[in-house]
Amino acid sequence: MGAGRAKDLKGRLLNNADLLINWSRKYSLWPMFFGLSCCFVEEAAAFTSRYDLARFGAEVLRPSPRQADLLIVSGTLFKKIAPVVLRLYEQMAEPKWVMSMGSCSNCGGMYDVYSVVQGVDQILPVDIYIPGCPPRPEALLQGLVMLQEKIGAEKPSRSVLHLKGGTQGSQKPILVDGQTKSRDPRGPGMEGTVIRGTSVVPPEFQDSRADLMWTPPPRQIELIGPDKNLAAVLANRFGETVRISPRVSDMLTIQVAPDRVKDILLFLKSEATPKYKRLDDLTAIDESARRERAAYPDYTLVYQLLSFESGGRLRLKVPLTGRDPVTRSVTDIWPSADWYEREVFDLFGIRFEGHPNLRRILMPHDWEGYPLRKSYPGRATEIPPYTLEEARRQQPLDGGIFVEGSAAEHQLVLNVGPHHVSTHGLMRYIVTLEGEEITSLEMDIGYHHRAAEKIAERQTWHQFIPYTDRVDYLAGAANNLPYVLAVETLAGIQVPERAQVIRVMLSEFFRLSNHLVFFATYAHDVGAMTPNFYTFREREMILDIVELITGGRLHPSWFRLGGVAADLPDGWKEAVDRFVRIFPSRLMEYETLIRKNPIFKARTVGIGRLSLDEAMDWGVTGPNLRACGLPWDLRKKTPYSGYENFDFEIPTAGEGDCYARYLVRVEEMRQSLRIIEQAAANMPAGRYMTEDYRFVIPQRKDMLKDIESLIHHFINVTRGPKIPRGEAYAACEIPRGEQGYYVVSDGLGYSYRTRIRGPGFANIQVMPLMVVGATIADLIAICGSLDYILPDIDR
Amino acid sequence: MQPVAIESVLSPWEPGIFSLTLYAILVLAFVASQLFLASWLGEKKKTREKLRPYECGIIPTGTARLRYPVPFYMVAIFFLLFDVEGAYIFTWAIAWEKLGWSGWLQISFFIVLLLLGLVYIWNKGGLEWGPAAQKI
């Protein structure tokens, strides 16, 4: 009897202790400041004034795992970052909880691709899953409340008091792909149906129904003026080794024999008129799955050059033969070719003789195979599942390996990133420090490689549009534009004027939204917290307008081939007008906080200086180039989507330092607002989708009423429009610089090869020029001022 | 009125050894209990990863016990020098009425000497800070 009562009393005491401990724990969660990709932007929005995470007692985002007890896995879990995530989790304080935020983290989401782990629950125990792509901030709040309920049901006092039993923290077992969780990306129960895309991807797929469809030939342009002259000069000078492509859709294209390519590139860079000073892009195509195999070499190397004098572009195609071909490096002509050649080596296995440092760049150093080869499986579900053991074994390369020679012995080698507040994403800098001074800077990228280019080869032309949104997750719809323009160029699709203006308006809204985030995070980087809470207010206004028009926030996926997804809704004009009225005074207010602030100026003026010559030579684009003094903006230089009809200026600054980059972006916001104002005031009436439904998804009303449109809708939605065989490139001035899409069609419903030229890749490659010789604190100021984003560097 | 004896206004030095001991024991017991509770109640899982230094999620490279560059010591020592000198000046300031003009002269001499020292190290570049590129 006595023993029973004592036991009872003990139980009651423990229960009360549970209540007390749980109450204090659940209202003081400390999430770790760690974002993997897009979802983190919504997580950060939940932290700002409109959603106010502080109401739930979880506003203290800790940059160190030692101080955090809640891991919100927000975004895509890449195989290259998974070991880091696991380590961070294990370094967190006890007890700890895990929330998986967004489809990618839950199950791989739309990224069923070789570089992505199909769910974080394969390496960590997960307490709460938040669905969405990305989930809205409210969904995160909901997830937090659910986690609080889960914590409320725990029995921690027994483990706290070292008694047997009790529960606290995440205790769910990790799942094993294929055993305790379904390997099917569509979820369990779908085993009977073949996964979309697997059966139609070459080389296996033979009898495409697209062959039964007729299409007009691809768009053809006539070479004019300087292009024609240049073609003649090249033919004259290099004779048989160059061949001008007779039919092109976008730019002068020259086939060059591999042994002469360096001479021709050198000629084009230094002697030709006009001079092609920038190596715009360098990539390759694996031709082994072409349907007319005999007409193509094994690989084609594609150099794309740009002339600042004429604004024109030029494409050099170099056929390569053999299974693992070797060609000569052009790093001595363009230093920027360094990373491009490494990328081609990494993804295609083409080697470059004379390259100073030819090793993998995007994939982990111990990766096997070359993912962009046609023989390489695209889907993660086609290759063995990722396991906990792999996450323990496949560690990122040791920092010392990046640093050359004796420097590593008596200087401090420090990893900044991939988990760091100020690297703005999964970027790893390996800095060598002599005191506070940076003596060398190495970069390790690829932690955010989502393999969008590989995915493009299995999704239909329309299905790929949502992936373009996520290439630069702060630029939303502005990302769609270069892709749809490239396909429209190739297929010769005419876009109605109304759709063009809608596209411009949305692109500019996203420029504003991006620059507001830049403003906030940059001020934060150099020590000012306040602007974060202010600028997200206007950013939310913009996202509300975007949501009103498109239904989405970060990733509207709203542009379509031939137009946009739907017409503007009622009430859009009032919302836009209201924003246009309010914004200038708000911007002025924020500017007074920052522009003349002595601390801000001390941190930025004269820091991270980049000369104009260097910027042009390294292919730097966007505000970073304009901050060096060159008024180069594709919206003016090669207007697209009707930008020529708008009245705006290109802001520039001459110094090329961090402060200049800040000034340019702020002024760009004013100019974007002008464009938005004009677009809203002069919105043309008419259709939002082209009239010719051959390649496009018809207007909804027509689809419901008219059998022709219904058939087009059915074909173009299911197996995708057959885009004529050919290739085209289109580039747009997105907020961060020039983003271009190079699409190659083999006459099927999906692209044969899609190449994304992201501005970040080139903008980041010049970092050592700015950083070496500066202090470690300047590194943070410089990173922030470049305003890069990882998915567009690693793609 | 009788003059007040200064001894009776200020309490004399009477070391109450009992209260001091008690106080010390209480303090020690409190601190010890806090340390013990924090260490006993806190959950510890000493895995290999947990004990590893945190460096942005990467396994750290090389040693952290490096030869630090000289400027770090210089600044530290200059700070110490000028800081200790502050102690002299403050004590003089409290007693400046009593010390009179001679005290003023002495401390002025001291301050001037300090200033000369400051000018000297300034000229010598002892206060230079930041990367080499900016020093030139």
Side-chain angles (χ1 to χ4, degrees):
Chain A
M1 183 67 195
R5 280 182 65 183
K7 207 174 169 188
D8 199 34
L9 182 69
K10 189 178 160 194
R12 269 166 55 199
L13 279 176
L14 286 174
N15 280 346
N16 286 332
D18 281 340
L19 283 179
L20 185 68
I21 294 172
N22 287 340
W23 176 81
S24 41
R25 276 182 181 169
K26 69 184 184 183
Y27 296 124
S28 63
L29 284 166
W30 288 30
M32 187 158 71
F33 201 118
F34 184 35
L36 288 165
S37 48
C38 331
C39 285
F40 183 72
V41 181
E42 291 295 50
E43 190 188 328
F47 173 65
T48 56
S49 49
R50 184 181 195 178
Y51 301 100
D52 196 11
L53 199 59
R55 291 179 292 160
F56 302 87
E59 81 275 25
V60 198
L61 268 71
R62 304 314 301 175
S64 160
R66 309 292 192 198
Q67 304 168 331
D69 59 4
L70 170 60
L71 176 63
I72 304 177
V73 185
S74 51
T76 318
L77 185 70
F78 305 93
K79 288 183 182 170
K80 196 169 174 176
I81 199 75
V84 175
V85 175
L86 182 63
R87 171 165 305 111
L88 292 173
Y89 171 74
E90 292 185 340
Q91 290 187 340
M92 278 166 62
E94 310 283 341
K96 51 200 167 193
W97 295 273
V98 179
M99 269 163 50
S100 165
M101 183 181 181
S103 306
C104 289
S105 171
N106 294 345
C107 64
M110 50 196 276
Y111 291 96
D112 179 13
V113 75
Y114 57 85
S115 61
V116 174
V117 180
Q118 300 299 296
V120 73
D121 49 16
Q122 287 172 218
I123 60 166
L124 299 179
V126 174
D127 293 298
I128 302 287
Y129 296 88
I130 307 171
C133 186
R136 299 176 57 99
E138 293 94 333
L140 179 73
L141 301 182
Q142 166 79 11
L144 197 66
V145 171
M146 287 169 73
L147 182 67
Q148 289 176 345
E149 283 165 8
K150 192 246 164 197
I151 293 172
E154 286 176 1
K155 301 269 174 206
S157 55
R158 285 188 155 270
S159 13
V160 167
L161 296 172
H162 299 266
L163 302 171
K164 275 189 183 161
T167 52
Q168 59 174 347
S170 318
Q171 292 194 326
K172 284 188 187 167
I174 60 158
L175 304 179
V176 181
D177 206 6
Q179 292 175 28
T180 46
K181 72 182 256 195
S182 167
R183 280 214 84 191
D184 195 319
R186 300 158 300 180
M190 303 281 282
E191 293 79 9
T193 332
V194 180
I195 293 174
R196 190 185 178 97
T198 45
S199 63
V200 294
V201 175
E204 293 85 8
F205 189 54
Q206 296 300 327
D207 305 311
S208 170
R209 292 175 76 176
D211 290 340
L212 304 173
M213 283 162 31
W214 179 87
T215 57
R219 173 171 180 255
Q220 189 176 1
I221 55 159
E222 291 292 323
L223 294 182
I224 45 159
D227 279 351
K228 207 170 177 180
N229 294 340
L230 182 67
V233 169
L234 282 172
N236 202 4
R237 184 169 169 142
F238 295 96
E240 290 288 294
T241 47
V242 300
R243 197 166 59 79
I244 314 295
S245 299
R247 297 182 58 92
V248 285
S249 304
D250 53 348
M251 65 179 88
L252 174 62
T253 303
I254 307 163
Q255 308 266 358
V256 183
D259 51 336
R260 294 306 299 276
V261 65
K262 277 191 85 165
D263 305 332
I264 294 170
L265 285 172
L266 200 59
F267 170 76
L268 287 167
K269 187 184 181 188
S270 50
E271 289 175 52
T273 38
K275 290 190 180 65
Y276 287 83
K277 281 200 78 173
R278 186 212 282 171
L279 178 67
D280 215 16
D281 197 11
L282 194 176
T283 188
I285 306 169
D286 177 4
E287 307 281 17
S288 64
R290 286 280 190 179
R291 282 137 51 83
E292 286 179 10
R293 182 68 188 86
Y296 296 93
D298 293 334
Y299 294 93
T300 304
L301 209 55
V302 183
Y303 296 86
Q304 187 176 295
L305 312 182
L306 178 126
S307 165
F308 287 105
E309 296 160 35
S310 70
R313 287 199 172 82
L314 179 150
R315 182 184 297 129
L316 253 74
K317 295 177 77 175
V318 185
L320 297 175
T321 49
R323 202 168 151 268
D324 303 298
V326 181
T327 183
R328 284 160 70 200
S329 166
V330 296
T331 42
D332 46 349
I333 304 177
W334 277 284
S336 59
D338 187 337
W339 278 19
Y340 288 107
E341 289 180 353
R342 278 176 66 190
E343 190 188 342
V344 170
F345 164 70
D346 191 3
L347 301 179
F348 289 93
I350 298 171
R351 303 192 77 88
F352 292 86
E353 264 175 19
H355 190 286
N357 182 20
L358 193 66
R359 56 190 166 81
R360 289 199 181 268
I361 182 166
L362 297 180
M363 305 310 296
H365 62 99
D366 49 0
W367 192 263
E368 282 174 22
Y370 302 103
L372 279 186
R373 286 190 177 176
K374 289 287 177 183
S375 54
Y376 196 89
R379 288 181 183 271
T381 42
E382 288 173 275
I383 48 184
Y386 193 81
T387 57
L388 183 64
E389 288 70 46
E390 273 175 276
R392 292 209 189 282
R393 198 177 61 239
Q394 290 173 341
Q395 293 300 332
L397 212 51
D398 187 87
I401 293 174
F402 291 89
V403 183
E404 283 174 13
S406 60
E409 282 164 29
H410 51 262
Q411 295 190 347
L412 182 66
V413 178
L414 184 71
N415 292 291
V416 183
H419 170 238
H420 192 282
V421 178
S422 294
T423 54
H424 295 256
L426 305 175
M427 173 93 191
R428 178 183 175 201
Y429 297 101
I430 299 118
V431 290
T432 318
L433 290 169
E434 175 81 47
E436 281 199 311
E437 184 181 339
I438 297 173
T439 54
S440 84
L441 176 84
E442 294 292 327
M443 287 171 278
D444 187 18
I445 62 169
Y447 292 96
H448 204 297
H449 177 54
R450 276 205 282 218
E453 296 179 8
K454 185 79 173 180
I455 291 173
E457 295 172 16
R458 68 159 194 249
Q459 305 294 93
T460 69
W461 296 99
H462 287 290
Q463 279 178 335
F464 187 63
I465 292 172
Y467 290 92
T468 64
D469 280 84
R470 287 152 179 85
V471 168
D472 176 346
Y473 50 69
L474 285 172
N479 279 299
N480 300 157
L481 195 51
Y483 173 69
V484 293
L485 283 180
V487 182
E488 283 160 3
T489 307
L490 176 58
I493 302 169
Q494 300 299 322
V495 182
E497 208 183 334
R498 183 176 174 86
Q500 289 196 5
V501 178
I502 296 175
R503 285 175 176 188
V504 166
M505 188 173 80
L506 275 170
S507 298
E508 294 304 322
F509 265 124
F510 272 101
R511 190 184 312 279
L512 275 182
S513 147
N514 175 72
H515 284 6
L516 282 173
V517 176
F518 160 80
F519 191 97
T521 52
Y522 193 45
H524 190 206
D525 280 337
V526 296
M529 191 76 188
T530 316
N532 248 319
F533 296 100
Y534 284 126
T535 61
F536 269 67
R537 181 173 57 171
E538 275 64 53
R539 182 171 179 273
E540 287 296 331
M541 276 184 85
I542 294 173
L543 291 183
D544 281 349
I545 295 171
V546 169
E547 193 175 350
L548 173 73
I549 295 175
T550 70
R553 268 166 65 89
L554 284 196
H555 303 320
S557 309
W558 202 63
F559 295 178
R560 295 285 181 273
L561 301 179
V564 291
D567 207 353
L568 293 172
D570 293 340
W572 72 272
K573 183 86 167 48
E574 291 72 33
V576 173
D577 286 347
R578 194 168 145 258
F579 178 80
V580 169
R581 248 192 340 270
I582 290 174
F583 190 68
S585 62
R586 295 276 169 88
L587 185 60
M588 187 76 95
E589 193 184 329
Y590 306 153
E591 267 272 89
T592 50
L593 281 174
I594 297 294
R595 186 187 277 257
K596 289 180 185 163
N597 185 317
I599 301 173
F600 183 77
K601 287 179 87 168
R603 291 295 308 275
T604 55
V605 174
I607 303 294
R609 199 162 262 167
L610 185 69
S611 77
L612 179 58
D613 282 342
E614 285 167 340
M616 286 161 77
D617 208 26
W618 284 80
V620 172
T621 57
N624 298 333
L625 177 63
R626 295 190 280 277
C628 299
L630 187 73
W632 180 268
D633 188 320
L634 292 185
R635 293 175 294 172
K636 281 274 191 211
K637 296 291 169 183
T638 53
Y640 53 87
S641 199
Y643 268 110
E644 62 273 22
N645 305 325
F646 291 91
D647 180 26
F648 65 102
E649 279 144 34
I650 311 175
T652 56
E655 294 75 23
D657 57 1
C658 292
Y659 191 61
R661 292 191 272 273
Y662 159 81
L663 292 179
V664 166
R665 288 199 175 83
V666 169
E667 194 48 41
E668 271 187 13
M669 285 200 249
R670 299 207 168 90
Q671 299 301 328
S672 284
L673 195 73
R674 280 176 69 188
I675 300 177
I676 292 170
E677 196 175 0
Q678 293 167 44
N682 310 316
M683 181 63 70
R687 297 172 59 83
Y688 62 86
M689 178 54 73
T690 180
E691 282 179 340
D692 182 0
Y693 287 157
R694 180 178 299 281
F695 302 112
V696 304
I697 295 175
Q699 293 198 164
R700 190 89 191 151
K701 232 184 195 166
D702 294 351
M703 186 273 275
L704 293 172
K705 286 188 179 161
D706 164 34
I707 186 69
E708 280 278 317
S709 309
L710 178 66
I711 293 171
H712 279 300
H713 183 276
F714 180 76
I715 299 285
N716 291 339
V717 166
T718 53
R719 67 172 180 249
K722 174 184 175 174
I723 299 291
R725 185 170 293 163
E727 59 191 8
Y729 178 84
C732 292
E733 193 73 36
I734 70 161
R736 266 166 249 281
E738 291 172 29
Q739 189 192 57
Y741 276 78
Y742 170 51
V743 293
V744 181
S745 172
D746 204 24
L748 289 174
Y750 38 84
S751 93
Y752 183 77
R753 165 100 175 94
T754 295
R755 160 72 183 170
I756 307 166
R757 188 248 183 238
F761 197 72
N763 288 357
I764 282 306
Q765 211 190 154
V766 292
M767 275 288 271
L769 297 186
M770 293 181 252
V771 167
V772 172
T775 63
I776 183 83
D778 293 336
L779 171 70
I780 304 304
I782 295 167
C783 284
S785 75
L786 286 176
D787 192 29
Y788 58 82
I789 194 161
L790 265 298
D792 120 321
I793 299 172
D794 297 342
R795 300 173 304 280
Chain B
M1 244 179 102
Q2 277 206 329
V4 179
I6 197 94
E7 287 77 23
S8 60
V9 173
L10 298 174
S11 70
W13 169 241
E14 284 178 53
I17 196 72
F18 174 73
S19 55
L20 181 68
T21 316
L22 189 67
Y23 181 70
I25 290 172
L26 282 175
V27 165
L28 284 175
F30 179 72
V31 170
S33 73
Q34 293 300 296
L35 287 174
F36 168 75
L37 279 176
S39 123
W40 188 67
L41 291 177
E43 194 175 329
K44 292 195 184 68
K45 278 187 186 161
K46 289 185 180 175
T47 60
R48 203 165 57 129
E49 289 302 335
K50 191 127 191 191
L51 296 175
R52 205 195 283 283
Y54 162 76
E55 191 174 309
C56 299
I58 303 280
I59 301 174
T61 302
T63 173
R65 307 276 173 272
L66 294 156
R67 286 177 298 167
Y68 276 85
V70 174
F72 283 107
Y73 292 109
M74 305 263 276
V75 168
I77 286 169
F78 295 148
F79 170 75
L80 207 67
L81 283 179
F82 287 100
D83 199 39
V84 169
E85 282 148 6
Y88 289 105
I89 297 172
F90 291 142
T91 40
W92 165 76
I94 288 170
W96 72 278
E97 264 186 335
K98 279 189 184 169
L99 295 173
W101 282 104
S102 74
W104 182 84
L105 276 173
Q106 282 162 19
I107 201 74
S108 299
F109 178 72
F110 183 64
I111 291 173
V112 167
L113 213 61
L114 280 183
L115 285 175
L116 287 177
L118 182 66
V119 169
Y120 176 74
I121 53 171
W122 199 324
N123 272 337
K124 276 282 183 184
L127 298 178
E128 297 283 323
W129 190 254
Q134 284 171 23
K135 285 180 198 160
I136 302 159

